[in-house]
Amino acid sequence: GASWNVANNCYVLLMRPQPSPDELDPYGKPLGTHPGMAAFMCSPPPTGASGGAYPFSYTPYVVFLSVAPPVDPLVLARQAISQMNLTAITVGMVPEPLPGRVGIIGLPQWMWAENPSPNTVGPITRSASSGGSTVTATGTVTRIVWDMGDGSTVTCTGPGTRYEDRYGKSPSPTCGYRYAKQGEYTVRATSYWEVAWNGIGRSGTIPLTFTSTATITMGEVQVLRR
């Protein structure tokens, strides 16, 4: 399990456990502290072996070598997430959140994610690597919670269904609501993400949320009598 170290002309093997700073070397001196380095047992090869001949004793001795800090898989997971460019959905609604558009109270409202994509509703997978180690993360929206602005919320497990004129006054089959009072409402759509990651012998999940808003106006049908 040892590897050849050119600088010291010996085979080196990480010492487990690491020696204490006051432990003595073969010359009777304390090993001391070596920040950012680890103690390795250095074993010169016998005369005639690969690496050359040595006129001194072949007794192993201790050397200190720089070691790379351990890779934190959670750090790599967050790097993978940053590559996903996750963002909130673009709100799609009927009535449309546009100036001059008015919805009718009592009629069904439809809500959906406009132009859904991997970075707005998932699934999306990215990987990040460092020092020969790799972590892979996959993000998916588990639900979208719609705060309707009147004290009510609607939880939808998918991106919703885009409204088309052919649906008429039918309620949304996937994500809808009905207002009971006229007025102007600010709707908040919060996407709840779950990002599952694994690598370097570990795994976990990271929750994320993104919110977008839209303002709609609800009115009532006026009946004219003569």
Side-chain angles (χ1 to χ4, degrees):
S3 58
W4 179 252
N5 182 262
V6 176
N8 292 281
N9 291 318
C10 64
Y11 292 99
V12 294
L13 186 66
L14 181 67
M15 298 180 67
R16 299 180 184 276
Q18 288 284 286
S20 61
D22 56 357
E23 190 170 328
L24 303 180
D25 66 13
Y27 303 100
K29 295 181 179 180
L31 293 176
T33 58
H34 302 264
M37 308 182 81
F40 288 78
M41 186 60 67
C42 177
S43 302
T47 302
S50 175
Y54 298 86
F56 49 82
S57 169
Y58 304 121
T59 302
Y61 57 96
V62 178
V63 295
F64 289 88
L65 303 175
S66 297
V67 292
V71 178
D72 186 343
L74 190 56
V75 171
L76 290 183
R78 295 192 181 281
Q79 290 179 9
I81 291 173
S82 68
Q83 299 174 27
M84 297 179 184
N85 297 317
L86 303 182
T87 186
I89 66 167
T90 297
V91 172
M93 290 190 71
V94 165
E96 296 172 297
L98 297 172
R101 301 297 177 91
V102 179
I104 305 302
I105 60 173
L107 293 183
Q109 275 69 54
W110 290 51
M111 298 96 72
W112 67 89
E114 188 73 40
N115 299 322
S117 63
N119 68 317
T120 58
V121 296
I124 184 171
T125 299
R126 294 290 185 272
S127 297
S129 302
S130 177
S133 299
T134 299
V135 168
T136 299
T138 299
T140 305
V141 169
T142 59
R143 66 191 187 280
I144 300 176
V145 177
W146 297 79
D147 182 335
M148 305 307 297
D150 63 350
S152 299
T153 60
V154 177
T155 299
C156 302
T157 56
T161 304
R162 181 185 177 87
Y163 179 80
E164 298 178 12
D165 291 340
R166 61 189 176 92
Y167 296 135
K169 298 178 181 180
S170 301
S172 170
T174 54
C175 191
Y177 185 67
R178 292 176 188 265
Y179 283 98
K181 295 181 180 180
Q182 62 181 334
E184 186 176 88
Y185 299 97
T186 297
V187 179
R188 297 170 58 86
T190 301
S191 308
Y192 286 80
W193 286 80
E194 184 175 278
V195 182
W197 61 267
N198 67 84
I200 320 180
R202 292 175 57 187
S203 62
T205 58
I206 298 175
L208 297 169
T209 60
F210 299 89
T211 301
S212 56
T213 63
T215 300
I216 62 172
T217 301
M218 300 300 300
E220 60 183 5
V221 175
Q222 299 294 324
V223 178
L224 299 179
R225 293 183 179 179
R226 291 184 178 180

